[in-house]
Amino acid sequence: MSTAPLLELDAVAVQYGTGAQAVTALAGVDLTIRPGEMVAVMGTSGSGKSTLLSVAGTLMPPTSGEVRIDGEWVSDRPARELAALRRRVLGFVFQDFNLIPSLTAVENVALPLELDGWRTGRARKAAELALESVELGHRLDAWPDDLSGGQRQRVAIARGIVGDRKLVLADEPTGALDSQTGEVVLRMLRRHVDSGAGALLVTHDARHAAWADRIVFLRDGRIVDESSYAGVELALTDAQDRP
C-alpha cells in the first residue's frame, strides 16, 4: 500500500467577508490523510468543520494556503478539472443521503460514473459490485423510498466509493440514523478505508469518532488538539466509570 498522502492541507485559511465584517472560518489548518487512514474531525457548531470538509472536497477555494489531493495541488485548477477530480478521486457521503428518488439504488450509484463517461453496462457492473460490498446486492433495483434509513446511507456510501475512489469525505453520515444502524454504516466505511482508501469524517459523536485512526479537534477554525482512537475510547471508559 502506498504511503503517499491522499490529502494535504497546508496552512489553509478561509475568511468570509472583508474589513470589520470579516469572519474567519479556518485559520491556518494543516492536515494530512494517507491511504488506510480515517481521520475524524470534531468540534462545536461554528468551529469550522463543514468549511474544512468543503475545502478538502474542492467545493470552495481557501482564502490562503494550499490543498493537494492525490499528489496534485488543486488551488489554481479550473472548475472543469476540479469537477473531474471529484468524480474520479473523491467520494462524498452526506447526512441526508442525497439520493435521487426517481432512480433505483444501482442507478444512483452508477450515475457519477456515467457522468464521467463510462458506458452504461460498465457503470452498472461497477455499481453492483459497490452495493454488494455494503451488503445490498439484494436491493439493486429498490427505490430509495422503499429502503430504510440505514440502507439508504449504505447506498450513499456505495456511491461514494464506486470506481475505486481514493478519498471519502463524510459529513455526519450517521446523524439521521439510530445508534445501531450508525455502527453498521461506519463499519462499511472503515472496511473501505482498510482496503487502502482514506477518509475524512465529520462527526459530533465521540463513539463514532472512535472508528477513526486519528481525531482532530477544531475550535474557532484552528486545530487545537489531536488524539488517537484509543485516547477517545479511554476517555469514554473513564466517564462511564465515574460515579
Side-chain angles (χ1 to χ4, degrees):
M1 183 188 300
S2 172
T3 60
L6 293 171
L7 173 68
E8 295 174 84
L9 305 183
D10 182 11
V12 164
V14 173
Q15 179 177 293
Y16 299 109
T18 58
Q21 304 300 317
V23 175
T24 299
L26 295 177
V29 170
D30 295 315
L31 181 65
T32 300
I33 299 178
R34 299 181 184 276
E37 185 176 39
M38 182 190 298
V39 175
V41 179
M42 301 188 72
T44 60
S45 178
S47 61
K49 302 188 302 298
S50 295
T51 300
L52 176 62
L53 205 67
S54 294
V55 171
T58 74
L59 297 174
M60 68 168 2
T63 305
S64 61
E66 296 288 346
V67 179
R68 179 182 285 181
I69 296 176
D70 198 23
E72 297 186 31
W73 296 111
V74 301
S75 299
D76 59 351
R77 301 277 287 275
R80 179 174 295 181
E81 291 185 15
L82 291 179
L85 179 72
R86 287 192 290 270
R87 290 194 301 268
R88 296 168 186 171
V89 179
L90 302 178
F92 295 88
V93 182
F94 303 98
Q95 177 177 342
D96 56 358
F97 317 135
N98 283 0
L99 301 180
I100 299 175
S102 59
L103 298 181
T104 64
V106 71
E107 289 169 344
N108 265 284
V109 176
L111 181 60
L113 300 180
E114 294 183 65
L115 292 175
D116 199 38
W118 288 42
R119 292 175 180 262
T120 300
R122 181 186 175 210
R124 182 181 173 95
K125 182 60 178 177
E128 290 174 354
L129 291 174
L131 284 166
E132 288 170 5
S133 75
V134 296
E135 301 177 8
L136 280 179
H138 62 298
R139 302 304 309 270
L140 298 177
D141 296 316
W143 305 103
D145 286 347
D146 294 330
L147 299 173
S148 68
Q151 289 175 328
R152 279 179 279 172
Q153 192 59 292
R154 280 190 273 163
V155 173
I157 288 177
R159 184 183 56 193
I161 67 177
V162 72
D164 296 324
R165 309 271 181 79
K166 296 181 179 180
L167 180 63
V168 178
L169 306 174
D171 188 5
E172 298 281 7
T174 59
L177 307 175
D178 62 72
S179 59
Q180 183 175 0
T181 305
E183 294 290 314
V184 171
V185 166
L186 286 166
R187 188 175 296 112
M188 302 296 176
L189 184 58
R190 182 73 245 184
R191 183 186 302 166
H192 181 62
V193 171
D194 289 342
S195 72
L200 182 62
L201 168 69
V202 168
T203 181
H204 68 280
D205 191 321
R207 295 187 182 278
H208 293 164
W211 284 86
D213 301 284
R214 289 187 290 126
I215 301 96
V216 297
F217 299 88
L218 279 182
R219 181 185 302 152
D220 299 328
R222 299 179 185 275
I223 293 178
V224 295
D225 199 4
E226 181 175 325
S227 175
S228 69
Y229 74 92
V232 171
E233 289 186 327
L234 179 60
L236 288 170
T237 301
D238 288 344
Q240 290 174 339
D241 291 342
R242 290 174 195 150

